[in-house]
Short mmCIF file of all heavy atoms in Angstrom, two decimals:
data_model
loop_
_atom_site.label_atom_id
_atom_site.label_comp_id
_atom_site.label_asym_id
_atom_site.label_seq_id
_atom_site.Cartn_x
_atom_site.Cartn_y
_atom_site.Cartn_z
N GLN A 30 0.83 -1.18 0.00
CA GLN A 30 0.00 -0.02 -0.02
C GLN A 30 0.89 1.25 0.00
O GLN A 30 1.82 1.33 0.74
CB GLN A 30 -0.88 -0.03 1.24
CG GLN A 30 -2.02 0.95 1.10
CD GLN A 30 -3.07 0.73 2.18
OE1 GLN A 30 -2.89 -0.13 3.09
NE2 GLN A 30 -4.15 1.43 2.17
N ALA A 31 0.58 2.18 -0.83
CA ALA A 31 1.35 3.41 -0.94
C ALA A 31 1.05 4.33 0.23
O ALA A 31 0.09 4.17 0.95
CB ALA A 31 0.99 4.09 -2.30
N GLU A 32 1.88 5.31 0.33
CA GLU A 32 1.76 6.29 1.46
C GLU A 32 0.46 7.02 1.41
O GLU A 32 -0.13 7.38 2.40
CB GLU A 32 2.90 7.29 1.43
CG GLU A 32 4.20 6.68 1.78
CD GLU A 32 5.35 7.68 1.73
OE1 GLU A 32 5.08 8.89 1.88
OE2 GLU A 32 6.47 7.24 1.49
N ASP A 33 -0.06 7.27 0.15
CA ASP A 33 -1.29 8.02 0.04
C ASP A 33 -2.58 7.13 0.26
O ASP A 33 -3.67 7.65 0.12
CB ASP A 33 -1.33 8.72 -1.33
CG ASP A 33 -1.27 7.78 -2.49
OD1 ASP A 33 -1.25 6.50 -2.28
OD2 ASP A 33 -1.20 8.26 -3.61
N GLY A 34 -2.35 5.89 0.50
CA GLY A 34 -3.49 4.98 0.79
C GLY A 34 -4.07 4.35 -0.44
O GLY A 34 -5.06 3.62 -0.41
N ILE A 35 -3.53 4.66 -1.62
CA ILE A 35 -4.04 4.11 -2.87
C ILE A 35 -3.17 2.93 -3.27
O ILE A 35 -1.94 3.09 -3.42
CB ILE A 35 -4.06 5.17 -3.96
CG1 ILE A 35 -4.98 6.30 -3.59
CG2 ILE A 35 -4.52 4.53 -5.30
CD1 ILE A 35 -4.91 7.48 -4.52
N ARG A 36 -3.78 1.82 -3.48
CA ARG A 36 -3.02 0.60 -3.86
C ARG A 36 -2.84 0.56 -5.41
O ARG A 36 -3.71 0.97 -6.14
CB ARG A 36 -3.75 -0.68 -3.48
CG ARG A 36 -3.85 -0.82 -2.01
CD ARG A 36 -4.45 -2.17 -1.66
NE ARG A 36 -5.02 -2.11 -0.30
CZ ARG A 36 -5.89 -2.96 0.12
NH1 ARG A 36 -6.34 -3.93 -0.63
NH2 ARG A 36 -6.36 -2.89 1.33
N ASP A 37 -1.70 -0.01 -5.79
CA ASP A 37 -1.51 -0.27 -7.24
C ASP A 37 -2.37 -1.38 -7.70
O ASP A 37 -2.65 -2.31 -6.92
CB ASP A 37 -0.05 -0.63 -7.48
CG ASP A 37 0.91 0.55 -7.20
OD1 ASP A 37 0.45 1.69 -7.32
OD2 ASP A 37 2.07 0.24 -6.91
N GLN A 38 -2.86 -1.31 -8.91
CA GLN A 38 -3.67 -2.36 -9.52
C GLN A 38 -2.77 -3.58 -9.72
O GLN A 38 -1.61 -3.43 -10.21
CB GLN A 38 -4.22 -1.96 -10.87
CG GLN A 38 -5.36 -0.97 -10.72
CD GLN A 38 -6.65 -1.71 -10.36
OE1 GLN A 38 -6.88 -1.93 -9.18
NE2 GLN A 38 -7.37 -2.10 -11.32
N PRO A 39 -3.20 -4.83 -9.33
CA PRO A 39 -2.37 -5.96 -9.61
C PRO A 39 -2.28 -6.13 -11.16
O PRO A 39 -3.27 -5.88 -11.85
CB PRO A 39 -3.13 -7.10 -8.99
CG PRO A 39 -4.49 -6.57 -8.72
CD PRO A 39 -4.43 -5.13 -8.67
N ARG A 40 -1.15 -6.58 -11.62
CA ARG A 40 -0.98 -6.77 -13.06
C ARG A 40 -1.71 -8.01 -13.53
O ARG A 40 -1.61 -9.04 -12.91
CB ARG A 40 0.52 -6.91 -13.38
CG ARG A 40 1.25 -5.58 -13.16
CD ARG A 40 2.66 -5.66 -13.68
NE ARG A 40 2.67 -5.90 -15.11
CZ ARG A 40 3.65 -6.35 -15.80
NH1 ARG A 40 4.80 -6.64 -15.17
NH2 ARG A 40 3.60 -6.52 -17.09
N SER A 41 -2.46 -7.87 -14.57
CA SER A 41 -3.18 -8.98 -15.15
C SER A 41 -2.18 -9.87 -15.96
O SER A 41 -1.35 -9.39 -16.61
CB SER A 41 -4.31 -8.51 -16.10
OG SER A 41 -4.86 -9.59 -16.76
N ARG A 42 -2.41 -11.17 -15.86
CA ARG A 42 -1.52 -12.09 -16.62
C ARG A 42 -2.33 -12.64 -17.81
O ARG A 42 -1.96 -13.66 -18.39
CB ARG A 42 -1.08 -13.27 -15.77
CG ARG A 42 -0.15 -12.72 -14.64
CD ARG A 42 0.53 -13.79 -13.90
NE ARG A 42 -0.46 -14.73 -13.31
CZ ARG A 42 -0.09 -15.79 -12.51
NH1 ARG A 42 1.15 -15.97 -12.27
NH2 ARG A 42 -1.01 -16.55 -12.01
N GLY A 43 -3.45 -11.99 -18.15
CA GLY A 43 -4.23 -12.44 -19.30
C GLY A 43 -5.04 -13.70 -19.00
O GLY A 43 -5.53 -14.36 -19.94
N LEU A 44 -5.28 -14.03 -17.73
CA LEU A 44 -6.01 -15.24 -17.40
C LEU A 44 -7.49 -14.87 -16.99
O LEU A 44 -8.18 -15.76 -16.54
CB LEU A 44 -5.37 -15.95 -16.24
CG LEU A 44 -3.96 -16.47 -16.57
CD1 LEU A 44 -3.28 -17.10 -15.37
CD2 LEU A 44 -4.02 -17.47 -17.73
N GLY A 45 -7.90 -13.67 -17.22
CA GLY A 45 -9.26 -13.30 -16.94
C GLY A 45 -9.52 -13.35 -15.45
O GLY A 45 -8.62 -13.06 -14.64
N ASP A 46 -10.70 -13.74 -15.08
CA ASP A 46 -11.08 -13.77 -13.67
C ASP A 46 -11.08 -15.23 -13.18
O ASP A 46 -12.12 -15.74 -12.76
CB ASP A 46 -12.44 -13.14 -13.45
CG ASP A 46 -12.43 -11.65 -13.79
OD1 ASP A 46 -11.38 -11.02 -13.56
OD2 ASP A 46 -13.41 -11.14 -14.27
N VAL A 47 -9.96 -15.89 -13.18
CA VAL A 47 -9.84 -17.27 -12.75
C VAL A 47 -8.97 -17.29 -11.52
O VAL A 47 -7.91 -16.78 -11.50
CB VAL A 47 -9.27 -18.15 -13.85
CG1 VAL A 47 -9.14 -19.59 -13.39
CG2 VAL A 47 -10.10 -18.08 -15.13
N TYR A 48 -9.51 -17.97 -10.47
CA TYR A 48 -8.85 -17.96 -9.15
C TYR A 48 -8.78 -19.41 -8.67
O TYR A 48 -9.54 -20.26 -8.99
CB TYR A 48 -9.59 -17.12 -8.15
CG TYR A 48 -9.80 -15.69 -8.63
CD1 TYR A 48 -10.99 -15.29 -9.22
CD2 TYR A 48 -8.81 -14.77 -8.51
CE1 TYR A 48 -11.21 -14.02 -9.66
CE2 TYR A 48 -8.99 -13.42 -8.94
CZ TYR A 48 -10.19 -13.08 -9.51
OH TYR A 48 -10.40 -11.80 -9.96
N LYS A 49 -7.80 -19.63 -7.76
CA LYS A 49 -7.67 -20.94 -7.10
C LYS A 49 -8.99 -21.26 -6.39
O LYS A 49 -9.63 -20.37 -5.87
CB LYS A 49 -6.53 -20.94 -6.09
CG LYS A 49 -5.19 -21.13 -6.75
CD LYS A 49 -4.10 -21.05 -5.72
CE LYS A 49 -3.92 -22.40 -5.03
NZ LYS A 49 -2.72 -22.44 -4.18
N ARG A 50 -9.34 -22.55 -6.35
CA ARG A 50 -10.50 -23.10 -5.67
C ARG A 50 -11.82 -22.70 -6.37
O ARG A 50 -12.87 -23.08 -5.88
CB ARG A 50 -10.53 -22.74 -4.21
CG ARG A 50 -9.41 -23.41 -3.46
CD ARG A 50 -9.43 -23.21 -1.97
NE ARG A 50 -9.22 -21.87 -1.49
CZ ARG A 50 -8.05 -21.31 -1.42
NH1 ARG A 50 -6.96 -21.93 -1.74
NH2 ARG A 50 -7.90 -20.05 -1.00
N GLN A 51 -11.77 -22.01 -7.48
CA GLN A 51 -12.98 -21.63 -8.23
C GLN A 51 -13.42 -22.86 -9.04
O GLN A 51 -12.63 -23.63 -9.51
CB GLN A 51 -12.68 -20.46 -9.13
CG GLN A 51 -13.87 -20.00 -9.95
CD GLN A 51 -13.51 -18.77 -10.79
OE1 GLN A 51 -12.28 -18.52 -11.04
NE2 GLN A 51 -14.47 -18.06 -11.20
N VAL A 52 -14.73 -23.06 -9.15
CA VAL A 52 -15.26 -24.16 -9.96
C VAL A 52 -15.47 -23.62 -11.38
O VAL A 52 -16.11 -22.62 -11.58
CB VAL A 52 -16.54 -24.73 -9.38
CG1 VAL A 52 -17.13 -25.85 -10.23
CG2 VAL A 52 -16.31 -25.23 -7.96
N VAL A 53 -14.93 -24.38 -12.37
CA VAL A 53 -14.98 -23.99 -13.73
C VAL A 53 -15.43 -25.15 -14.60
O VAL A 53 -15.44 -26.32 -14.13
CB VAL A 53 -13.63 -23.47 -14.27
CG1 VAL A 53 -13.19 -22.18 -13.54
CG2 VAL A 53 -12.55 -24.52 -14.19
N THR A 54 -15.76 -24.90 -15.85
CA THR A 54 -16.16 -25.96 -16.76
C THR A 54 -15.48 -25.64 -18.12
O THR A 54 -15.20 -24.50 -18.45
CB THR A 54 -17.68 -26.02 -16.96
OG1 THR A 54 -18.04 -27.13 -17.75
CG2 THR A 54 -18.27 -24.81 -17.53
N PHE A 55 -15.21 -26.74 -18.83
CA PHE A 55 -14.61 -26.60 -20.20
C PHE A 55 -14.88 -27.88 -20.94
O PHE A 55 -15.32 -28.88 -20.41
CB PHE A 55 -13.13 -26.29 -20.14
CG PHE A 55 -12.29 -27.40 -19.51
CD1 PHE A 55 -11.71 -28.41 -20.31
CD2 PHE A 55 -12.14 -27.48 -18.16
CE1 PHE A 55 -10.90 -29.40 -19.73
CE2 PHE A 55 -11.30 -28.50 -17.58
CZ PHE A 55 -10.76 -29.44 -18.42
N GLU A 56 -14.72 -27.84 -22.24
CA GLU A 56 -14.88 -29.00 -23.10
C GLU A 56 -13.57 -29.76 -23.22
O GLU A 56 -12.62 -29.21 -23.70
CB GLU A 56 -15.38 -28.57 -24.48
CG GLU A 56 -15.79 -29.78 -25.32
CD GLU A 56 -16.45 -29.33 -26.64
OE1 GLU A 56 -17.20 -28.35 -26.62
OE2 GLU A 56 -16.14 -30.00 -27.65
N GLY A 57 -13.60 -31.00 -22.74
CA GLY A 57 -12.41 -31.83 -22.79
C GLY A 57 -12.34 -32.65 -24.09
O GLY A 57 -12.98 -32.37 -25.09
N ARG A 58 -11.58 -33.76 -24.01
CA ARG A 58 -11.46 -34.60 -25.14
C ARG A 58 -12.79 -35.26 -25.56
O ARG A 58 -13.60 -35.55 -24.70
CB ARG A 58 -10.46 -35.75 -24.82
CG ARG A 58 -9.04 -35.21 -24.61
CD ARG A 58 -8.08 -36.36 -24.45
NE ARG A 58 -6.80 -35.86 -24.03
CZ ARG A 58 -6.29 -35.90 -22.81
NH1 ARG A 58 -6.98 -36.47 -21.85
NH2 ARG A 58 -5.12 -35.38 -22.54
N ARG A 59 -12.92 -35.42 -26.87
CA ARG A 59 -14.10 -36.08 -27.46
C ARG A 59 -15.39 -35.34 -27.09
O ARG A 59 -16.45 -35.94 -26.97
CB ARG A 59 -14.19 -37.54 -27.05
CG ARG A 59 -13.03 -38.33 -27.51
CD ARG A 59 -13.20 -39.80 -27.17
NE ARG A 59 -11.94 -40.51 -27.40
CZ ARG A 59 -11.44 -41.41 -26.69
NH1 ARG A 59 -12.06 -41.77 -25.56
NH2 ARG A 59 -10.29 -42.01 -26.94
N GLY A 60 -15.30 -34.02 -26.85
CA GLY A 60 -16.48 -33.22 -26.60
C GLY A 60 -17.10 -33.39 -25.18
O GLY A 60 -18.17 -32.86 -24.93
N ARG A 61 -16.39 -34.11 -24.29
CA ARG A 61 -16.92 -34.30 -22.95
C ARG A 61 -16.79 -33.03 -22.15
O ARG A 61 -15.76 -32.32 -22.17
CB ARG A 61 -16.04 -35.35 -22.25
CG ARG A 61 -16.45 -35.67 -20.84
CD ARG A 61 -15.62 -36.83 -20.33
NE ARG A 61 -15.72 -36.91 -18.91
CZ ARG A 61 -14.86 -36.29 -18.07
NH1 ARG A 61 -13.86 -35.60 -18.52
NH2 ARG A 61 -15.00 -36.37 -16.79
N THR A 62 -17.88 -32.67 -21.47
CA THR A 62 -17.84 -31.46 -20.59
C THR A 62 -17.19 -31.83 -19.26
O THR A 62 -17.63 -32.79 -18.61
CB THR A 62 -19.28 -30.90 -20.35
OG1 THR A 62 -19.83 -30.57 -21.60
CG2 THR A 62 -19.25 -29.69 -19.46
N VAL A 63 -16.18 -31.06 -18.92
CA VAL A 63 -15.42 -31.28 -17.67
C VAL A 63 -15.75 -30.16 -16.69
O VAL A 63 -15.67 -28.99 -17.06
CB VAL A 63 -13.91 -31.35 -17.92
CG1 VAL A 63 -13.16 -31.49 -16.62
CG2 VAL A 63 -13.58 -32.46 -18.91
N THR A 64 -16.13 -30.49 -15.48
CA THR A 64 -16.36 -29.54 -14.41
C THR A 64 -15.35 -29.86 -13.30
O THR A 64 -15.26 -31.00 -12.87
CB THR A 64 -17.78 -29.63 -13.88
OG1 THR A 64 -18.69 -29.42 -14.95
CG2 THR A 64 -18.02 -28.61 -12.78
N GLY A 65 -14.67 -28.82 -12.84
CA GLY A 65 -13.70 -29.08 -11.81
C GLY A 65 -13.28 -27.80 -11.06
O GLY A 65 -13.70 -26.71 -11.38
N GLU A 66 -12.35 -28.05 -10.07
CA GLU A 66 -11.86 -26.98 -9.25
C GLU A 66 -10.46 -26.56 -9.71
O GLU A 66 -9.63 -27.40 -10.02
CB GLU A 66 -11.78 -27.44 -7.81
CG GLU A 66 -11.24 -26.45 -6.82
CD GLU A 66 -11.15 -27.00 -5.37
OE1 GLU A 66 -11.81 -28.03 -5.12
OE2 GLU A 66 -10.44 -26.40 -4.63
N VAL A 67 -10.23 -25.26 -9.75
CA VAL A 67 -8.91 -24.74 -10.17
C VAL A 67 -7.95 -25.04 -9.00
O VAL A 67 -8.18 -24.57 -7.85
CB VAL A 67 -8.98 -23.23 -10.45
CG1 VAL A 67 -7.59 -22.69 -10.76
CG2 VAL A 67 -9.91 -22.96 -11.61
N LEU A 68 -6.88 -25.76 -9.33
CA LEU A 68 -5.86 -26.06 -8.31
C LEU A 68 -4.72 -25.07 -8.36
O LEU A 68 -4.15 -24.72 -7.33
CB LEU A 68 -5.29 -27.47 -8.55
CG LEU A 68 -6.20 -28.65 -8.35
CD1 LEU A 68 -5.49 -29.92 -8.68
CD2 LEU A 68 -6.79 -28.68 -7.01
N LYS A 69 -4.39 -24.63 -9.56
CA LYS A 69 -3.22 -23.74 -9.70
C LYS A 69 -3.43 -22.83 -10.92
O LYS A 69 -3.95 -23.26 -11.92
CB LYS A 69 -1.96 -24.57 -9.88
CG LYS A 69 -0.69 -23.83 -9.90
CD LYS A 69 0.51 -24.79 -9.93
CE LYS A 69 1.78 -24.00 -9.85
NZ LYS A 69 2.97 -24.90 -9.82
N VAL A 70 -3.00 -21.59 -10.79
CA VAL A 70 -3.05 -20.60 -11.91
C VAL A 70 -1.62 -20.32 -12.25
O VAL A 70 -0.90 -19.68 -11.45
CB VAL A 70 -3.84 -19.40 -11.54
CG1 VAL A 70 -3.83 -18.38 -12.71
CG2 VAL A 70 -5.26 -19.69 -11.12
N ASN A 71 -1.13 -20.80 -13.41
CA ASN A 71 0.21 -20.55 -13.89
C ASN A 71 0.23 -19.31 -14.78
O ASN A 71 -0.80 -18.71 -15.03
CB ASN A 71 0.75 -21.78 -14.68
CG ASN A 71 0.88 -22.97 -13.79
OD1 ASN A 71 1.35 -22.93 -12.67
ND2 ASN A 71 0.36 -24.10 -14.28
N GLN A 72 1.37 -18.97 -15.31
CA GLN A 72 1.51 -17.83 -16.14
C GLN A 72 0.64 -17.94 -17.42
O GLN A 72 0.00 -16.98 -17.87
CB GLN A 72 2.92 -17.56 -16.50
CG GLN A 72 3.15 -16.22 -17.13
CD GLN A 72 4.64 -15.84 -17.17
OE1 GLN A 72 5.48 -16.70 -16.94
NE2 GLN A 72 4.91 -14.63 -17.47
N LYS A 73 0.63 -19.13 -18.04
CA LYS A 73 -0.12 -19.31 -19.28
C LYS A 73 -1.22 -20.38 -19.21
O LYS A 73 -2.09 -20.46 -20.12
CB LYS A 73 0.84 -19.69 -20.41
CG LYS A 73 1.84 -18.61 -20.76
CD LYS A 73 2.71 -19.03 -21.89
CE LYS A 73 3.67 -17.92 -22.26
NZ LYS A 73 4.55 -18.36 -23.34
N THR A 74 -1.19 -21.19 -18.16
CA THR A 74 -2.19 -22.28 -18.09
C THR A 74 -2.83 -22.30 -16.72
O THR A 74 -2.39 -21.67 -15.74
CB THR A 74 -1.50 -23.65 -18.34
OG1 THR A 74 -0.47 -23.84 -17.39
CG2 THR A 74 -0.97 -23.72 -19.77
N ILE A 75 -3.89 -23.15 -16.61
CA ILE A 75 -4.62 -23.34 -15.42
C ILE A 75 -4.72 -24.86 -15.16
O ILE A 75 -4.94 -25.62 -16.11
CB ILE A 75 -6.04 -22.80 -15.50
CG1 ILE A 75 -5.95 -21.29 -15.72
CG2 ILE A 75 -6.86 -23.09 -14.26
CD1 ILE A 75 -7.28 -20.72 -16.18
N VAL A 76 -4.44 -25.32 -13.92
CA VAL A 76 -4.59 -26.72 -13.58
C VAL A 76 -5.96 -26.93 -12.92
O VAL A 76 -6.22 -26.27 -11.92
CB VAL A 76 -3.46 -27.20 -12.69
CG1 VAL A 76 -3.64 -28.67 -12.34
CG2 VAL A 76 -2.09 -26.95 -13.32
N VAL A 77 -6.75 -27.80 -13.49
CA VAL A 77 -8.11 -28.04 -13.02
C VAL A 77 -8.21 -29.51 -12.63
O VAL A 77 -7.80 -30.42 -13.36
CB VAL A 77 -9.14 -27.76 -14.16
CG1 VAL A 77 -10.56 -28.06 -13.66
CG2 VAL A 77 -9.01 -26.31 -14.58
N LEU A 78 -8.82 -29.77 -11.46
CA LEU A 78 -9.07 -31.12 -10.96
C LEU A 78 -10.50 -31.50 -11.28
O LEU A 78 -11.46 -30.89 -10.80
CB LEU A 78 -8.86 -31.21 -9.42
CG LEU A 78 -9.13 -32.58 -8.82
CD1 LEU A 78 -8.14 -33.64 -9.35
CD2 LEU A 78 -9.04 -32.50 -7.33
N ASP A 79 -10.69 -32.50 -12.20
CA ASP A 79 -12.00 -32.96 -12.59
C ASP A 79 -12.74 -33.53 -11.36
O ASP A 79 -12.23 -34.40 -10.69
CB ASP A 79 -11.83 -34.04 -13.65
CG ASP A 79 -13.14 -34.46 -14.31
OD1 ASP A 79 -14.21 -34.35 -13.67
OD2 ASP A 79 -13.05 -35.01 -15.43
N GLN A 80 -13.94 -33.02 -11.15
CA GLN A 80 -14.71 -33.48 -9.92
C GLN A 80 -15.16 -34.90 -10.02
O GLN A 80 -15.26 -35.58 -9.05
CB GLN A 80 -15.92 -32.56 -9.75
CG GLN A 80 -15.59 -31.15 -9.33
CD GLN A 80 -16.81 -30.27 -9.17
OE1 GLN A 80 -17.85 -30.51 -9.81
NE2 GLN A 80 -16.70 -29.23 -8.37
N SER A 81 -15.43 -35.42 -11.24
CA SER A 81 -15.98 -36.74 -11.35
C SER A 81 -14.89 -37.83 -11.43
O SER A 81 -15.07 -38.93 -10.90
CB SER A 81 -16.93 -36.89 -12.55
OG SER A 81 -16.18 -36.59 -13.74
N THR A 82 -13.74 -37.54 -12.05
CA THR A 82 -12.69 -38.61 -12.27
C THR A 82 -11.45 -38.33 -11.46
O THR A 82 -10.55 -39.20 -11.42
CB THR A 82 -12.30 -38.70 -13.74
OG1 THR A 82 -11.71 -37.44 -14.12
CG2 THR A 82 -13.48 -38.94 -14.62
N GLN A 83 -11.32 -37.18 -10.81
CA GLN A 83 -10.13 -36.73 -10.05
C GLN A 83 -8.91 -36.61 -10.94
O GLN A 83 -7.80 -36.64 -10.49
CB GLN A 83 -9.90 -37.73 -8.88
CG GLN A 83 -10.98 -37.80 -7.87
CD GLN A 83 -11.32 -36.43 -7.28
OE1 GLN A 83 -10.43 -35.79 -6.69
NE2 GLN A 83 -12.49 -35.98 -7.44
N GLN A 84 -9.13 -36.49 -12.26
CA GLN A 84 -8.00 -36.30 -13.21
C GLN A 84 -7.64 -34.85 -13.25
O GLN A 84 -8.49 -33.94 -13.16
CB GLN A 84 -8.46 -36.77 -14.60
CG GLN A 84 -7.41 -36.55 -15.68
CD GLN A 84 -7.90 -36.99 -17.04
OE1 GLN A 84 -9.04 -37.48 -17.22
NE2 GLN A 84 -7.07 -36.74 -18.06
N ARG A 85 -6.34 -34.56 -13.35
CA ARG A 85 -5.87 -33.17 -13.48
C ARG A 85 -5.71 -32.83 -14.90
O ARG A 85 -5.21 -33.60 -15.73
CB ARG A 85 -4.47 -33.05 -12.77
CG ARG A 85 -4.58 -33.15 -11.28
CD ARG A 85 -3.22 -33.10 -10.68
NE ARG A 85 -3.33 -33.37 -9.24
CZ ARG A 85 -2.84 -32.57 -8.31
NH1 ARG A 85 -2.21 -31.45 -8.61
NH2 ARG A 85 -2.98 -32.85 -7.05
N TRP A 86 -6.20 -31.65 -15.27
CA TRP A 86 -6.12 -31.11 -16.65
C TRP A 86 -5.35 -29.81 -16.58
O TRP A 86 -5.53 -29.00 -15.72
CB TRP A 86 -7.50 -30.80 -17.15
CG TRP A 86 -8.40 -31.94 -17.34
CD1 TRP A 86 -9.12 -32.63 -16.37
CD2 TRP A 86 -8.74 -32.59 -18.57
NE1 TRP A 86 -9.85 -33.61 -16.95
CE2 TRP A 86 -9.66 -33.59 -18.31
CE3 TRP A 86 -8.38 -32.35 -19.92
CZ2 TRP A 86 -10.18 -34.42 -19.29
CZ3 TRP A 86 -8.91 -33.16 -20.88
CH2 TRP A 86 -9.77 -34.18 -20.56
N LYS A 87 -4.43 -29.64 -17.55
CA LYS A 87 -3.72 -28.37 -17.72
C LYS A 87 -4.28 -27.75 -19.01
O LYS A 87 -4.11 -28.26 -20.08
CB LYS A 87 -2.22 -28.60 -17.87
CG LYS A 87 -1.42 -27.30 -17.86
CD LYS A 87 0.06 -27.50 -18.13
CE LYS A 87 0.68 -27.99 -16.86
NZ LYS A 87 2.15 -28.01 -16.95
N VAL A 88 -4.96 -26.63 -18.83
CA VAL A 88 -5.64 -25.98 -19.98
C VAL A 88 -5.31 -24.50 -19.96
O VAL A 88 -4.89 -23.93 -18.99
CB VAL A 88 -7.19 -26.20 -19.86
CG1 VAL A 88 -7.57 -27.65 -19.95
CG2 VAL A 88 -7.74 -25.63 -18.58
N THR A 89 -5.57 -23.86 -21.13
CA THR A 89 -5.43 -22.45 -21.25
C THR A 89 -6.65 -21.77 -20.66
O THR A 89 -7.74 -22.31 -20.64
CB THR A 89 -5.20 -21.98 -22.69
OG1 THR A 89 -6.36 -22.36 -23.48
CG2 THR A 89 -3.95 -22.65 -23.30
N ALA A 90 -6.47 -20.52 -20.21
CA ALA A 90 -7.58 -19.75 -19.64
C ALA A 90 -8.74 -19.57 -20.58
O ALA A 90 -9.90 -19.51 -20.16
CB ALA A 90 -7.04 -18.44 -19.08
N SER A 91 -8.49 -19.47 -21.86
CA SER A 91 -9.51 -19.28 -22.83
C SER A 91 -10.47 -20.45 -22.96
O SER A 91 -11.60 -20.32 -23.47
CB SER A 91 -8.92 -18.94 -24.21
OG SER A 91 -8.18 -20.03 -24.68
N MET A 92 -10.06 -21.60 -22.44
CA MET A 92 -10.96 -22.83 -22.54
C MET A 92 -11.93 -22.86 -21.45
O MET A 92 -12.94 -23.58 -21.57
CB MET A 92 -10.04 -24.10 -22.47
CG MET A 92 -9.23 -24.33 -23.70
SD MET A 92 -8.27 -25.85 -23.55
CE MET A 92 -9.59 -27.07 -23.50
N VAL A 93 -11.72 -22.22 -20.30
CA VAL A 93 -12.58 -22.39 -19.12
C VAL A 93 -13.61 -21.29 -18.98
O VAL A 93 -13.40 -20.17 -19.39
CB VAL A 93 -11.75 -22.54 -17.82
CG1 VAL A 93 -10.81 -23.67 -17.93
CG2 VAL A 93 -11.02 -21.25 -17.50
N SER A 94 -14.72 -21.67 -18.37
CA SER A 94 -15.80 -20.73 -18.01
C SER A 94 -16.10 -20.95 -16.54
O SER A 94 -16.34 -22.09 -16.12
CB SER A 94 -17.06 -20.98 -18.81
OG SER A 94 -16.79 -20.82 -20.21
N PRO A 95 -16.16 -19.86 -15.71
CA PRO A 95 -16.58 -20.01 -14.35
C PRO A 95 -18.02 -20.44 -14.20
O PRO A 95 -18.86 -20.08 -15.03
CB PRO A 95 -16.32 -18.65 -13.72
CG PRO A 95 -16.11 -17.72 -14.88
CD PRO A 95 -15.87 -18.49 -16.09
N ILE A 96 -18.32 -21.17 -13.17
CA ILE A 96 -19.71 -21.62 -12.91
C ILE A 96 -20.31 -20.72 -11.85
O ILE A 96 -19.66 -20.40 -10.87
CB ILE A 96 -19.77 -23.05 -12.47
CG1 ILE A 96 -19.38 -23.94 -13.63
CG2 ILE A 96 -21.14 -23.44 -11.98
CD1 ILE A 96 -19.40 -25.41 -13.33
#
């Protein structure tokens, strides 16, 4: 926090509004809809844990939609 009480805006990494522990959905292999929890937000990708199979997916932010 600056001396004048105004905080700097955090720099966006182009990942939109995706946060850890957020539930998201995206289209996986063979057109299957995957719903899962965001485990990690990397510089270019997001790691999502599939709720039904417990499989980890590494996807780009443009693939996911928040629920």
Side-chain angles (χ1 to χ4, degrees):
Q30 195 169 5
E32 290 178 28
D33 59 5
I35 299 172
R36 295 186 201 162
D37 293 334
Q38 286 283 86
R40 292 187 62 199
S41 172
R42 296 190 300 184
L44 297 175
D46 295 327
V47 179
Y48 305 97
K49 281 178 82 171
R50 294 186 292 283
Q51 183 177 19
V52 178
V53 296
T54 186
F55 64 94
E56 188 173 322
R58 294 185 188 104
R59 299 184 190 139
R61 180 176 163 268
T62 299
V63 176
T64 301
E66 178 182 343
V67 175
L68 296 179
K69 187 173 184 179
V70 179
N71 297 314
Q72 193 167 10
K73 295 182 180 179
T74 61
I75 299 166
V76 179
V77 179
L78 179 64
D79 187 336
Q80 291 177 335
S81 61
T82 65
Q83 300 301 304
Q84 178 180 357
R85 291 177 187 234
W86 294 78
K87 186 183 282 188
V88 297
T89 61
S91 62
M92 290 181 65
V93 301
S94 300
I96 293 184

